[in-house]
Amino acid sequence: MFENKENRTDLSTLGEFGFIEHIAKSVSLKNASSLKGIGDDAAIIDNGNKMTVVSTDMLVEGVHFDLAFHPLKHLGYKAVTVNLSDIYAMNATPHQITVSIAMSNRFSLEAIEELYVGIFMACERHEVDLVGGDTTSSTSGLIISITAIGTADKEDVVYRNTAGVNDLVCVSGDLGGAYIGLQLLEREKKIFVENPKIQPDLEGNDYILERQLKPEARKDVIAKLKEQKIKPTAMIDISDGLSSDLLHICKQSDVGSAIYEEKLPIDVETFNAATEFNLDPLICALNGGEDYELLFTIKQEDYEKIKSIKEVSVIGHITEKNAGVSLVDKSGSIHPIKAQGWDALLE
Ligand SMILES: [Mg+2]
């Protein structure tokens, strides 16, 4: 399957996406029902009448969350949400989840019950059933792996690789809040570790804290798009950041894009907190990640209809591939978008 390599390759040289591409190269789908495999927000399985939509996400303590500031109830909620977000990003409806956890004896039954309270809250909100999973022990941290299963009609499924030139680029909600929320939590944790007598100062930052600790999956936006009879031409959820996720759409659709700084939705609380941290709110919006908003493209003729959905902003358009993927700033200057940042500001 894999070539025999004499040299040892560090995984870090590939990165997450490079690793996924590397594995995907060795996968060939043999069942006709495996309509879409690796490479989108979720896999699509053709069952005849309906498509089954499947996505898995794993959250690892110390990598994806820090229990010093992440309440277990919120963590349970978030673990479900991030999976359901991938199902919505295929324009599908989630119905079931399985939950697998690995935990050490550091956790009491009561602590794990708290985690499940959050899991059940998310299930109730999104009308999904917990139908199974696995539990095992872990020598150190907590690991939560959730698989979400949904359905969609074949003609309703929206992929990443189908954006067309001149389509409009849209995003739901606002961006950068989850990232700046994390900066605030990490700062307060550091202060607390250095001096436990100082209580965390989190006042007036409810919105950005919630964006980080208890994000929402945009079921409402998917419903409104249906209501307005808009079918996106391509869609992805924003887990890695607007830049990175827009690049996924463009790369897979073989197109370019221009998005406009002045059109990017940034909440005032995000803006103020970023400024307080000496961070550029624009960079937080572009590269922050974990917003779990929907990034999608629509046909130009749907412009009037999309304007009626107040949760959605039109931020740019799709161009020919050779025009590249870029941000047009407020003065009209054009900056190429890179996966890990907006190069002009990283210099
Ligand atoms: Mg995704």
Side-chain angles (χ1 to χ4, degrees):
M1 185 163 67
F2 297 107
E3 288 166 47
N4 222 342
K5 291 200 181 70
E6 276 179 29
N7 296 332
R8 182 184 187 280
T9 309
D10 261 329
L11 284 169
S12 61
T13 59
L14 290 163
E16 182 186 353
F17 303 129
F19 174 74
I20 294 169
E21 273 177 31
H22 182 75
I23 297 297
K25 271 191 282 185
S26 303
V27 173
S28 59
L29 301 177
K30 299 201 173 54
N31 293 303
S33 56
S34 305
L35 203 60
K36 179 84 190 181
I38 298 170
D40 214 304
D41 289 278
I44 305 289
I45 299 160
D46 188 343
N47 287 321
N49 297 333
K50 286 260 186 190
M51 303 298 108
T52 300
V53 184
V54 186
S55 178
T56 294
D57 248 302
M58 183 154 56
L59 297 180
V60 177
E61 184 178 357
V63 178
H64 301 101
F65 61 89
D66 184 339
L67 287 176
F69 52 68
H70 212 141
L72 281 161
K73 196 199 288 184
H74 289 37
L75 182 64
Y77 192 91
K78 181 173 180 175
V80 176
T81 298
V82 302
N83 275 276
L84 300 185
S85 181
D86 279 326
I87 302 292
Y88 293 125
M90 303 305 290
N91 203 27
T93 308
H95 300 296
Q96 289 89 17
I97 57 165
T98 63
V99 176
S100 298
I101 58 174
M103 56 200 153
S104 67
N105 56 12
R106 164 164 78 89
F107 295 95
S108 64
L109 172 64
E110 288 73 19
I112 297 300
E113 279 177 346
E114 270 294 291
L115 181 77
Y116 274 89
V117 168
I119 289 173
F120 292 137
M121 273 172 61
C123 285
E124 205 171 301
R125 187 180 167 96
H126 291 273
E127 295 170 81
V128 303
D129 298 321
L130 197 172
V131 293
D134 191 18
T135 53
T136 181
S137 58
S138 151
T139 48
S140 56
L142 177 65
I143 298 169
I144 310 163
S145 174
I146 296 188
T147 297
I149 303 151
T151 59
D153 289 330
K154 194 171 192 173
E155 61 273 19
D156 287 341
V157 177
V158 176
Y159 297 96
R160 291 177 180 179
N161 62 358
T162 40
V165 174
N166 294 328
D167 286 355
L168 302 172
V169 178
C170 306
V171 70
S172 65
D174 53 73
L175 302 173
Y179 175 77
I180 204 69
L182 181 62
Q183 303 313 304
L184 178 66
L185 288 162
E186 281 178 348
R187 180 184 72 184
E188 294 306 315
K189 179 190 169 187
K190 193 160 167 264
I191 293 171
F192 182 77
V193 167
E194 282 163 13
N195 189 347
K197 284 197 186 120
I198 299 178
Q199 284 304 302
D201 177 18
L202 300 169
E203 281 250 326
N205 290 301
D206 293 356
Y207 181 68
I208 56 170
L209 292 174
E210 191 162 309
R211 294 292 284 168
Q212 170 57 224
L213 297 174
K214 191 173 167 285
E216 281 301 342
R218 298 314 300 259
K219 176 187 189 172
D220 57 332
V221 172
I222 293 297
K224 284 184 180 171
L225 289 170
K226 277 215 171 79
E227 232 172 76
Q228 292 295 326
K229 299 196 167 52
I230 300 171
K231 185 192 170 192
T233 52
M235 185 152 58
I236 188 170
D237 70 327
I238 300 186
S239 49
D240 300 312
L242 174 64
S243 298
S244 187
D245 291 315
L246 179 63
L247 285 167
H248 282 310
I249 285 185
C250 290
K251 188 177 175 196
Q252 295 192 27
S253 301
D254 216 23
V255 293
S257 177
I259 59 169
Y260 295 83
E261 177 185 5
E262 61 183 4
K263 308 271 189 208
L264 297 186
I266 300 175
D267 180 79
V268 63
E269 201 177 294
T270 303
F271 188 93
N272 291 340
T275 310
E276 194 193 319
F277 275 92
N278 284 322
L279 293 168
D280 186 333
L282 173 62
I283 299 298
C284 298
L286 284 172
N287 299 333
E290 286 202 289
D291 289 313
Y292 299 102
E293 295 296 342
L294 294 168
L295 174 67
F296 57 95
T297 53
I298 58 168
K299 291 271 180 220
Q300 278 203 6
E301 63 225 43
D302 287 330
Y303 180 63
E304 288 303 320
K305 288 195 269 179
I306 203 83
K307 276 203 301 188
S308 70
I309 306 178
K310 65 175 192 324
E311 293 86 353
V312 172
S313 308
V314 178
I315 60 168
H317 59 274
I318 295 293
T319 61
E320 297 283 353
K321 185 186 184 182
N322 58 17
V325 181
S326 52
L327 176 85
V328 181
D329 73 15
K330 285 176 179 160
S331 70
S333 302
I334 297 168
H335 307 265
I337 288 177
K338 303 263 169 68
Q340 281 311 313
W342 179 26
D343 61 345
L345 291 182
L346 290 175
E347 278 165 10

